[in-house]
Amino acid sequence: MIFADGITLLCNDIQVDPQDIVMLVLSWHMKAGTMCEFSKKEFTEGLQSLGIDSLDKFREKIPSMRSELKDEQKFREIYNFAFGWAKEKGQKSLALDTAIGMWQLLFAEKQWPLVDHWCQFLQARHNKAISRDTWSQLLEFAKTVSSNLSDYDAEGAWPYLIDEFVDYLKENGVNQHGQINDSSLN
Amino acid sequence: MQVTLGCLRNAYNMVLQKFGEKLYSGLVTTMTSHLRQISQSIESAQGEIFLEELNRKWVEHNKALLMIRDILMYMDRTFVPSSRKTPVHELGLNLWRDVVIHSNKTQSRLLDTLIDLVLKERNGEVINRGLMRNLIKMLMDLGLSVYQNDFEKHFIEVSKDFYCCESQKFIESCNCGDYLKKAERRLNEEMERVSHYLDPSSESKIIKVVETEMIENHMHTLVHMENSGLVSMFVDDKYEDLERIYNLFRRVPSGLTIVKDVMTSFIRDTGKQLIMDPERLKDPVDFVQRLLDLKDKYDKAITLAFNNDKTFQNALNSAFEYFINLNARSPEFISLFVDDKLRRGLKGVGEEDVEIVLDKVMMLFRYLQEKDMFEKYYKQHLAKRLLSGKTVSDEAERSLIVKLKTECGYQFTSKLEGMFTDMKTSYDMMQGFLACHGAELGDSPTLSVQVLTTGSWPTQSSPQCNLPSEILGVCEKFRSYYLGAHSGRRLSWQANMGNADLKATFGKGQKHELNVSTYQMCVLMLFNNADRLSCKEIEQATAIPMPDLKRCLQSLALVKGKNVLRKEPMSKDIAEDDAFFFNDKFTSKLFKVKIGTVVAQRESEPENIETRQRVEEDRKPQIEAAIVRVMKSRKILEHNNIIAEVTKQLQARFLPNPVVIKKRIESLIEREFLERDKVDRKMYRYLA
């Protein structure tokens, strides 16, 4: 088993920051069960599938792994993978703090203007763990609904937490650029 | 013209000898010139003579025509058909029409005169109806198109103008009731006119004119007339006016729709005001009675004035359903109303009248959207009635249960029936107990126990409190007796629900019987052995939870006329260090003093909120069960359709909130009963 220390060493060797999102992509390739650990099987089979057998090759692979995030389909898979990977073993839901951290990481790549409001909303109003359905539906929401909410469909079968988020945004006067007018929330 | 056999023979011969043509054209010429003379004489008739002259000449002409036809019968039967000429009688009529009636002067004069007479009659004058009838009949005899073009068409036009003016005049000067009376009168008048001297085919046309001009064109003005329109008719129970407006308005398109709509919105507003009036809401029983009175009022109106019209009944029902559900406390209040009736209101009332009241209650119950809320309150109130023995009639109670069962099914009432069963079983149990142990109980306090099956009763389990030593003996005896008969069971005394009768002797020797709750009994009995006790000491001795104890002490020390205890200091609130004394100076005019209340009361705000929360919690599993049922049978279904199906399944009990349904769906997804479809995220799939 490789744990956090081992991973730090690895990151050093391949010259990647442990917080770098490419580590998530790597974990995805390895089908890792939980963050900050790799089983021997996960590690070796993952490297094999990537065709990596040396540190140099590893370093070379990094940019292409990074670019995989640009692919719509792959991003979705990685995003949904992240839920199971980031949550505690044996838990059904993802702790809020972890979820917020993951979202900020993922949506830095994907560029969703409402990500900060979403996180603020959760901390102010929800304060509970995030279900898998909410997690996966949020990506769909970010992709299909414009940030000024003009095409949000209240009958759209969105998880209730997202409906509440929309109400929260409306209460606080979100303008067209996805910025909340009420400065007291910043 | 004189008929002689000679004429006949001549005519006959002429035809025989093929002079038919000459005979016929001679007839035409002769008759035409004769009629011309007649026409002139009619034209020169002055004033009123005109019509009489016309009539007279017409009668003569008809007589003559008959004779001529007889004389020329042979020609009519042979020459006329073969040469396709107009038969003699018809010819005579046509010539009359063309020469006399359609002469320039006569045509317009005839029309004007007839119309003029009608208008005079409408203004109240008496006219010669016989003459009118004859002349109208003449026009009909000349052909339907003559009647219509020469008279009826214009008659209708003129009538339109007449009624347009008249209705305008009346609208400005009459109130609604009077206007309608006038309209009704005119309608009757026109029908009578037609039957007397017009052709029946005109009836529907003239009636339509009156209906349109007098009713249809002023519908809105009439209905909304201030101080006399539809609303004030309802307010003042003006059944005759209402009946008239119904009968008149039903004649015109959308007439009844307007009446119905105004009625509906007025009932809604009245109901809404009643529902929202804080004064009214202070007294639930009065509030419900007012609802019933309102329903009765409109039921009566619909029966007496609106011919029991179903659309109106439906409108009334939907109006009631609308505003009753605006007040979230309606279920509680209706249950309190029922409680009041079953506890004392129906005392001494005959069986049939009891049924009437209960049926009215059921009618209100049907309007409720939140029937499960009602069930919760009904159960609580029923429990109190049964346990305090305060029900006016067992039959009435059971009758209502049967009605509820019929309406809602077995599940609704099974627990309620369980309560009745427990009461009966407890009674039998007590009989058995007394028969068995009665003798050895001797001087012990008389005990009466109701054994309640957990689950059937709306009880919250109360923590054990310390019962007075005086009754411990007999309580234990009962417990062992019961457990002897039912070994596998557990019994726990519910001290928050019982009551007791205590015999008390006060300072000057006056004796009273005090009817108190179990808690109150525990507190009072302490004073047999102590003169002074603090609140805290009482709590320690009795183990009654402090909030309940404070309420208990308040009812014993701070209520005028029931203050069997004295408190120091005399403040309104109970503090833990306050001291309590037996009130030697207590007096009451009554021997039996009731201090304990186990009677159903309007909930306080916090209690109300708590009950609502409990009901909402109870709804969650019901909603989930409905979702699973729906998905199991449909396998895959779109979100909005699930909401609709689930709502349909549950609406007999309550109206589920779509947001709550959504949350339950998500919970079911979480627990892997359902999943979202991979392609269409709005569809859900049942996972076996």
Side-chain angles (χ1 to χ4, degrees), chain A residues 37-170:
Chain A
E37 346 180 317
F38 292 125
S39 72
K40 183 164 177 187
K41 182 175 191 232
E42 288 166 359
F43 193 76
T44 47
E45 286 182 7
L47 288 181
Q48 239 180 357
S49 73
L50 286 165
I52 293 174
D53 55 10
S54 71
L55 269 181
D56 284 331
K57 284 229 180 94
F58 209 148
R59 278 191 280 257
E60 280 163 32
K61 261 294 185 194
I62 300 292
S64 75
M65 281 200 274
R66 233 187 258 288
S67 68
E68 286 186 299
L69 289 165
K70 305 279 186 247
D71 177 305
E72 285 276 335
Q73 181 53 29
K74 288 199 180 144
F75 182 83
R76 185 196 269 117
E77 286 181 35
I78 293 168
Y79 174 89
N80 284 329
F81 164 79
F83 180 86
W85 178 77
K87 72 173 171 57
E88 296 284 325
K89 267 193 273 220
Q91 294 283 355
K92 262 206 158 119
S93 310
L94 179 59
L96 185 59
D97 292 337
T98 320
I100 288 180
M102 291 304 303
W103 273 319
Q104 280 169 339
L105 193 64
L106 285 159
F107 285 119
E109 281 297 312
K110 181 75 185 145
Q111 298 299 325
W112 183 42
L114 293 177
V115 61
D116 289 328
H117 299 319
W118 170 250
C119 297
Q120 269 169 13
F121 157 72
L122 287 173
Q123 283 168 321
R125 300 280 183 90
H126 186 58
N127 263 322
K128 283 186 277 200
I130 301 293
S131 72
R132 186 183 284 274
D133 184 61
T134 305
W135 175 269
S136 63
Q137 289 298 303
L138 185 71
L139 180 62
E140 300 309 313
F141 182 79
K143 279 165 75 164
T144 56
V145 177
S146 68
S147 58
N148 65 0
L149 304 176
S150 57
D151 52 359
Y152 165 76
D153 177 9
E155 312 271 307
W158 296 110
Y160 87 92
L161 201 51
I162 291 181
D163 292 336
E164 284 186 7
F165 175 55
V166 171
D167 289 339
Y168 169 86
L169 289 176
K170 290 196 174 140

Side-chain angles (χ1 to χ4, degrees), chain B residues 67-277:
Chain B
M67 273 192 252
I68 297 172
R69 190 192 59 190
D70 285 346
I71 295 174
L72 299 179
M73 197 174 295
Y74 186 71
M75 180 187 76
D76 225 7
R77 285 188 187 163
T78 57
F79 172 72
V80 161
S82 68
S83 56
R84 303 219 182 104
K85 299 259 192 235
T86 314
V88 169
H89 191 254
E90 196 184 325
L91 173 71
L93 292 180
N94 289 349
L95 287 176
W96 176 267
R97 175 194 66 200
D98 296 337
V99 177
V100 177
I101 299 300
H102 285 174
S103 88
N104 277 339
K105 288 195 197 152
T106 305
Q107 186 167 26
S108 48
R109 192 172 170 196
L110 173 59
L111 174 63
D112 291 344
T113 315
L114 290 175
I115 298 282
D116 196 54
L117 282 173
V118 171
L119 290 177
K120 278 203 171 84
E121 198 180 46
R122 283 183 182 153
N123 278 325
E125 289 183 40
V126 178
I127 63 170
N128 186 341
R129 285 185 155 187
L131 186 55
M132 291 285 283
R133 182 170 46 245
N134 286 350
L135 288 167
I136 295 291
K137 186 161 186 315
M138 170 189 77
L139 293 174
M140 279 302 288
D141 287 345
L142 295 177
L144 182 62
S145 61
V146 177
Y147 172 74
Q148 286 178 341
N149 291 327
D150 283 21
F151 172 75
E152 194 193 50
K153 205 163 61 175
H154 308 276
F155 165 70
I156 294 294
E157 270 311 301
V158 167
S159 301
K160 244 187 228 168
D161 291 334
F162 174 80
Y163 280 113
C164 183
C165 286
E166 176 160 290
S167 67
Q168 196 57 45
K169 196 174 69 185
F170 285 166
I171 274 284
E172 284 162 14
S173 62
C174 297
N175 67 31
C176 183
D178 289 340
Y179 180 96
L180 292 174
K181 282 199 186 102
K182 290 197 203 281
E184 195 177 58
R185 208 176 303 141
R186 281 302 193 192
L187 275 170
N188 290 336
E189 194 191 293
E190 291 300 331
M191 283 198 282
E192 200 228 15
R193 172 165 299 115
V194 170
S195 73
H196 271 109
Y197 57 79
L198 297 180
D199 187 78
S201 65
S202 298
E203 182 175 300
S204 61
K205 294 178 190 147
I206 185 61
I207 292 298
K208 185 115 204 310
V209 167
V210 181
E211 285 170 355
T212 309
E213 297 300 322
M214 290 208 85
I215 303 172
E216 194 177 350
N217 290 350
H218 298 283
M219 283 197 295
H220 292 273
T221 316
L222 285 167
V223 155
H224 293 293
M225 218 179 248
E226 230 178 289
N227 296 332
S228 68
L230 190 62
V231 166
S232 56
M233 286 181 197
F234 279 124
V235 168
D236 298 327
D237 293 331
K238 293 253 168 77
Y239 298 121
E240 213 190 279
D241 285 347
L242 286 169
E243 193 177 0
R244 188 167 296 116
I245 209 175
Y246 180 80
N247 284 330
L248 289 176
F249 276 50
R250 84 203 291 199
R251 289 162 170 271
V252 304
S254 309
L256 287 187
T257 310
I258 292 190
V259 174
K260 184 185 65 142
D261 289 345
V262 170
M263 179 188 86
T264 304
S265 81
F266 180 62
I267 296 176
R268 279 187 175 207
D269 289 342
T270 312
K272 213 166 163 182
Q273 261 177 23
L274 177 61
I275 290 273
M276 311 247 193
D277 183 352

